Amino acid sequence: DAANTLTLSGDSTFDVDEVVSDIDAGNTSGTVIVTTDELSGSGTTPEMTITAGSGSLEVNGDDAAPSDTDDLDIEIDADNLSDGDDGADLTLTGDTEYRVNNDASSGEVTIDASGLDASGGLTLTGSGDFNLINTTEDVTAPDLSGRLTVTTKSGENNSINVEAGTGELIVDATDTGDSITVDAAAQSDDFTTDNDFDDEANDPQDQWEVTAEGSGSVTVNNVTADVDAQTLTGDLIVDISGGSDVDIRAGAADNTVRTNATGADIDAGAMGSSDTLTLEDSGDVGVFNLRDGATIDAAAQDYAGSLEIKTDLNAGESATVNTGTEATSITGDSGAVIVDALDLEDTLGEEVDTL
């Protein structure tokens, strides 16, 4: 409502207290600090909207109903905040439910929501890019088509959920005690005509829809596209829900892939000595670049898909394969492969599984 809007402009620092009206700061270039009075939206209709300027914006929202986490309280138009540096453009604190929209065609909006209360919420929308730093709470972005980067706050054991949009998602579980769970249901594969296993590499035209980094653990659910975790030093779990060309770069620790009857090509090149790739369910899997000291375990969870493996070993090196219950093919490149084939089924009168 224009009649109830506070309009700010210029390069001053503005400090606005006890406000519940809409704020138009689109023509500001300095810092705008907003502390609200108690407010509460209704459903997806916020009580307050803020249009940010090109400087920086800090918002401390006070939710009149903090136990109600379903109603949107504050909506922020962040287009003007989008820039090319990684300093915080938008700082969010308090216990309100925020929705931040960015439709800028260049740059990204960097958000520090480390002061957001556990009863608050953050939803991201638009076609522009976001970079969330010092993240301690969940992030919801199913309607975001831009790139989203989420980095957990260092020095704390953070456990967060991230609901991906349709754009690229990068998650960084900063510390070993951090855990990030991703819902990738909104994503789709941008390139499905490559064959990583045959090529023993990913096609340069193929974008990685999810990239996992850091020292903590990452779980990616509802996967139908590609996951790159080659720089992740914590454990990785990938739960596949469909798709015709799921490509995975395993992390540099233990990896679990739940195929759920959908196939995948897995690059194991980042796995090191004592790292294990555990396979579950029945989707056909091709694993390549299996290196020294690494293990493919298809036996522990009675993996029932067809398994193909290509090693990348030097003389004197070795890798281990514990087969599942179905056909297994191993192509060795120098070194030695230790195979435990106990789980391979060979039932008289049925198709014989082969090694």
Side-chain angles (χ1 to χ4, degrees):
D1 184 351
N4 296 316
T5 298
L6 172 64
T7 302
L8 308 173
S9 62
D11 58 5
S12 298
T13 296
F14 293 94
D15 194 340
V16 184
D17 292 327
E18 305 299 322
V19 63
V20 293
S21 66
D22 295 343
I23 297 177
D24 183 356
N27 290 319
T28 61
S29 57
T31 298
V32 177
I33 303 169
V34 177
T35 303
T36 76
D37 199 353
E38 287 191 343
L39 46 73
S40 181
S42 177
T44 59
T45 302
E47 179 166 347
M48 181 180 187
T49 62
I50 302 173
T51 301
S54 60
S56 63
L57 175 64
E58 301 175 17
V59 183
N60 182 5
D62 185 1
D63 194 342
S67 62
D68 184 357
T69 59
D70 294 326
D71 291 334
L72 175 65
D73 301 314
I74 300 174
E75 182 167 42
I76 299 172
D77 179 347
D79 291 9
N80 293 328
L81 294 173
S82 190
D83 58 26
D85 64 61
D86 56 4
D89 305 302
L90 174 60
T91 302
L92 301 176
T93 60
D95 58 359
T96 52
E97 281 64 54
Y98 293 97
R99 181 168 65 205
V100 183
N101 188 83
N102 175 28
D103 287 320
S105 59
S106 63
E108 64 181 7
V109 177
T110 300
I111 300 177
D112 185 342
S114 58
L116 188 62
D117 193 84
S119 62
L122 177 57
T123 299
L124 305 176
T125 61
S127 58
D129 299 340
F130 285 99
N131 178 21
L132 268 62
I133 59 175
N134 300 322
T135 309
T136 59
E137 301 296 336
D138 297 345
V139 180
T140 304
D143 296 320
L144 176 68
S145 59
R147 183 184 67 245
L148 172 59
T149 303
V150 179
T151 303
T152 56
K153 186 176 182 179
S154 181
E156 301 179 4
N157 292 331
N158 299 292
S159 180
I160 66 169
N161 297 306
V162 178
E163 188 174 355
T166 58
E168 179 187 2
L169 173 65
I170 302 168
V171 293
D172 187 342
T174 304
D175 297 330
T176 56
D178 290 344
S179 175
I180 300 178
T181 300
V182 174
D183 182 349
Q187 294 188 324
S188 58
D189 202 338
D190 72 310
F191 192 80
T192 60
T193 59
D194 59 332
N195 189 318
D196 286 21
F197 181 76
D198 286 350
D199 298 337
E200 298 183 47
N202 185 255
D203 193 301
Q205 299 178 74
D206 192 9
Q207 177 184 354
W208 296 97
E209 279 73 26
V210 177
T211 300
E213 304 173 345
S215 302
S217 62
V218 175
T219 299
V220 189
N221 295 321
N222 295 315
V223 172
T224 61
D226 304 329
V227 178
D228 180 4
Q230 64 178 340
T231 65
L232 179 70
T233 57
D235 292 346
L236 173 71
I237 298 174
V238 177
D239 195 302
I240 302 171
S241 62
S244 61
D245 179 44
V246 176
D247 301 322
I248 300 170
R249 280 178 176 162
D254 289 337
N255 300 263
T256 298
V257 177
R258 299 167 181 157
T259 63
N260 292 310
T262 299
D265 288 344
I266 303 173
D267 183 346
M271 293 174 58
S273 181
S274 302
D275 293 340
T276 299
L277 168 60
T278 301
L279 301 176
E280 299 183 12
D281 305 311
S282 60
D284 296 342
V285 169
V287 181
F288 59 98
N289 287 334
L290 182 63
R291 293 178 176 162
D292 184 40
T295 297
I296 305 298
D297 191 351
Q301 299 297 322
D302 294 325
Y303 169 69
S306 176
L307 176 60
E308 295 181 89
I309 299 170
K310 296 177 182 178
T311 69
D312 181 16
L313 300 168
N314 297 313
E317 296 179 339
S318 66
T320 300
V321 176
N322 303 327
T323 71
T325 62
E326 299 297 322
T328 302
S329 171
I330 304 173
T331 301
D333 179 15
S334 191
V337 183
I338 302 165
V339 182
D340 183 340
L342 180 64
D343 274 18
L344 271 179
E345 296 177 348
D346 187 356
T347 305
L348 187 64
E350 298 182 1
E351 181 180 349
V352 176
D353 297 313
T354 59
L355 175 61

